[in-house]
Amino acid sequence: MWISVVLALTVLPAMFGLSLGFTDLYIKVLVKTLEWAALRIQRAQKVPAVPCHLPNGIIQKGDSSMEEEIVELRRMHPHPLTGGNFTLCDTFYFCKKGIESIVEDQVTQRFTSEELASWNLLTRTNNNFHYISMRVTIIWGLGVFIRYCILLPLRIILAATGLSWLVIGTTLVGILPNSNVKDRISDLLHITCYRICARGLSAKIHYHNKENHPKKGGICVANHTSPIDIVILANDGCYAMVGQVHGGLMGLIQRSMVRSCPHVWFERSEMKDRHAVLAQEANSEILNRTCINNTSVMMFKKGSFEIGKTIHPVAIKYDPQFGDAFWNSAKYSMVAYLLRMMTSWAIVCNVWYLPPMSQQDGEDAVNFANRVKSAIAHQGGLVDLSWDGGLKRGKVKESYKEAQQKMYSSMIVGH
């Protein structure tokens, strides 16, 4: 009887892209509850209202260039020097930058959870959780009961249903001969299963500028926060996806999906050999190689921008008030991460489809990729960083160090 109710109220509407309004009502009640809790906490702690957006770091960093900051240091020198000379005070600039990077560099902090403006009644987002008032404690306890005893079983059923249908369905569709009928069945199967999985996360997705939705024959590029980015995007259309090979449950899903749709899964060591394969894709979703927290966009690999196809940028921004969508793969396994998602309040996000972009005359792939990345960051309210997300696992390239040395030496010799 329970499973029949689930199928009637969630799975069937999801298959046809319909909503009965339960998620909307749940989100409205949740917003009111979190707003009430935030006010109670502020009154109890006797602190002013917390700003909606916190600074991205604890160090106040300016936008001045190396030359501007060194010139400012030389002005404070008893005998200011300009032009092709070296002064010992120049070393203070590099000492300052080095200490800033040790305390808080621009890369490491992008692989930790985003700071919240106010507590969202999840102990995982408040390491200093303590008793505030009886009412807040009761609401918190009630929330634990609802999330773990009511929502979690329902979400597990929906997620298991969606993933099971995806694995079984794509395996069966893969047996069919290649044809337009097979493609239509595959598209219908994928979008239905993704919509069921989205219901399993209590996802509320707001799509903007749908007239710019990616078209066949182009490449869709989006910022990458979480594996569920695929679920978020595929709720509104089908993609032939390009991504890293995984093991375990994710690997099983990948192997079954590729039987019915021309997805491309690659090993990191084979990334450079995939350009020819990418060129044959009809419509692909290219995501940043590494999950970055919900605050920034890091460097895109240039291979996707060397093909010469139209790029369809997409910006995805999650609302951290309802749950932290960022996957810290160094800390949580895929199963542990999904459990965290299913025990969060909900997944609420905005998706912006940006106008298609093409490579300009005289523009190389790197500059084209950076231009697309900047457009995504601007639309999503994200920080545009020039760093490679691969620094999460490796050291800074020597070329980065040499670039700083060349910049300083050219300033010294007067160029």
Side-chain angles (χ1 to χ4, degrees):
M1 182 177 180
W2 172 251
I3 295 178
S4 299
V5 172
V6 170
L7 290 174
L9 298 181
T10 55
V11 175
L12 292 177
M15 292 175 62
F16 297 99
L18 303 176
S19 175
L20 300 180
F22 294 121
T23 301
D24 293 338
L25 178 61
Y26 168 69
I27 295 296
K28 289 180 181 179
V29 173
L30 191 57
V31 168
K32 295 294 183 182
T33 303
L34 295 179
E35 289 176 350
W36 172 86
L39 290 175
R40 295 291 301 182
I41 293 170
Q42 291 168 13
R43 291 174 185 173
Q45 296 179 342
K46 297 180 180 179
V47 296
V50 183
C52 295
H53 299 285
L54 294 179
N56 290 310
I58 60 176
I59 297 178
Q60 184 67 33
K61 298 180 181 179
D63 297 327
S64 303
S65 65
M66 174 191 292
E67 184 174 2
E68 291 172 340
E69 293 195 30
I70 289 181
V71 168
E72 185 64 29
L73 282 172
R74 291 185 176 190
R75 287 175 182 170
M76 295 185 288
H77 193 274
H79 303 288
L81 298 173
T82 58
N85 290 289
F86 165 79
T87 60
L88 189 60
C89 68
D90 291 354
T91 59
F92 289 116
Y93 167 80
F94 298 100
C95 290
K96 173 176 174 288
K97 291 298 181 182
I99 293 173
E100 284 181 353
S101 296
I102 292 172
V103 175
E104 182 186 70
D105 66 276
Q106 288 185 321
V107 176
T108 304
Q109 62 179 326
R110 308 302 168 181
F111 300 107
T112 57
S113 295
E114 182 181 4
E115 294 290 336
L116 296 181
S118 61
W119 185 38
N120 61 354
L121 299 181
L122 297 175
T123 52
R124 70 190 69 164
T125 58
N126 188 352
N127 295 327
N128 299 318
F129 173 74
H130 58 275
Y131 174 79
I132 297 172
S133 71
M134 180 58 70
R135 291 183 180 180
V136 174
T137 302
I138 292 174
I139 294 297
W140 171 78
L142 181 61
V144 171
F145 174 79
I146 293 174
R147 288 187 291 112
Y148 283 87
C149 299
I150 299 178
L151 295 179
L152 179 59
L154 175 61
R155 290 170 175 173
I156 290 177
I157 291 174
L158 290 172
T161 301
L163 293 178
S164 298
W165 287 10
L166 183 64
V167 172
I168 297 173
T170 51
T171 301
L172 294 177
V173 172
I175 301 175
L176 301 175
N178 294 331
S179 64
N180 291 333
V181 174
K182 177 182 178 179
D183 294 339
R184 293 194 195 98
I185 296 175
S186 177
D187 289 349
L188 179 61
L189 175 66
H190 276 81
I191 197 168
T192 299
C193 293
Y194 283 129
R195 285 173 176 171
I196 294 174
C197 290
R199 297 294 201 278
L201 296 171
S202 295
K204 181 63 178 176
I205 312 168
H206 303 280
Y207 297 99
H208 307 275
N209 307 326
K210 298 189 72 170
E211 67 275 8
N212 297 324
H213 190 282
K215 303 294 191 303
K216 293 286 185 179
I219 297 178
C220 174
V221 183
N223 57 300
H224 193 23
T225 302
S226 159
I228 66 173
D229 292 342
I230 296 172
V231 177
I232 299 301
L233 286 178
N235 260 262
D236 195 40
C238 293
Y239 298 83
M241 290 174 285
V242 179
Q244 178 196 348
V245 172
H246 289 275
L249 175 62
M250 182 65 73
L252 174 63
I253 297 172
Q254 286 181 325
R255 290 190 296 273
S256 63
M257 289 171 60
V258 78
R259 293 187 178 99
S260 66
C261 187
H263 303 294
V264 177
W265 311 124
F266 60 84
E267 295 286 355
R268 292 184 185 278
S269 59
E270 300 175 356
M271 184 64 178
K272 293 181 180 179
D273 300 330
R274 292 296 182 177
H275 295 168
V277 180
L278 290 175
Q280 300 174 4
E281 292 300 321
N283 187 24
S284 303
E285 171 197 350
I286 313 294
L287 298 177
N288 205 345
R289 288 174 54 197
T290 305
C291 290
I292 311 297
N293 71 6
N294 198 35
T295 64
S296 315
V297 185
M298 286 191 175
M299 182 188 300
F300 288 128
K301 293 300 180 182
K302 66 177 182 178
S304 307
F305 300 86
E306 291 177 330
I307 300 173
K309 289 194 174 184
T310 301
I311 299 294
H312 298 272
V314 176
I316 306 174
K317 177 66 175 179
Y318 293 90
D319 191 336
Q321 181 183 16
F322 303 97
D324 181 17
F326 168 61
W327 180 33
N328 188 344
S329 57
K331 188 175 181 180
Y332 301 105
S333 66
M334 175 61 70
V335 175
Y337 168 76
L338 291 177
L339 285 176
R340 285 172 61 87
M341 292 295 95
M342 292 182 184
T343 54
S344 297
W345 292 115
I347 299 298
V348 179
C349 68
N350 287 279
V351 176
W352 290 274
Y353 297 117
L354 280 69
M357 302 175 67
S358 301
Q359 193 168 0
Q360 298 176 351
D361 294 337
E363 184 179 40
D364 60 18
V366 174
N367 290 328
F368 183 28
N370 289 333
R371 184 161 59 90
V372 172
K373 175 170 64 71
S374 297
I376 292 174
H378 177 74
Q379 179 63 77
L382 305 167
V383 179
D384 184 9
L385 297 176
S386 59
W387 297 104
D388 184 355
L391 289 175
K392 176 183 180 180
R393 301 177 178 86
K395 296 182 179 180
V396 177
K397 297 179 181 178
E398 290 297 324
S399 58
Y400 286 121
K401 302 177 184 178
E402 293 173 358
Q404 295 294 313
Q405 295 168 351
K406 290 179 180 178
M407 192 183 304
Y408 179 70
S409 62
S410 65
M411 187 188 71
I412 290 298
V413 298
H415 294 304

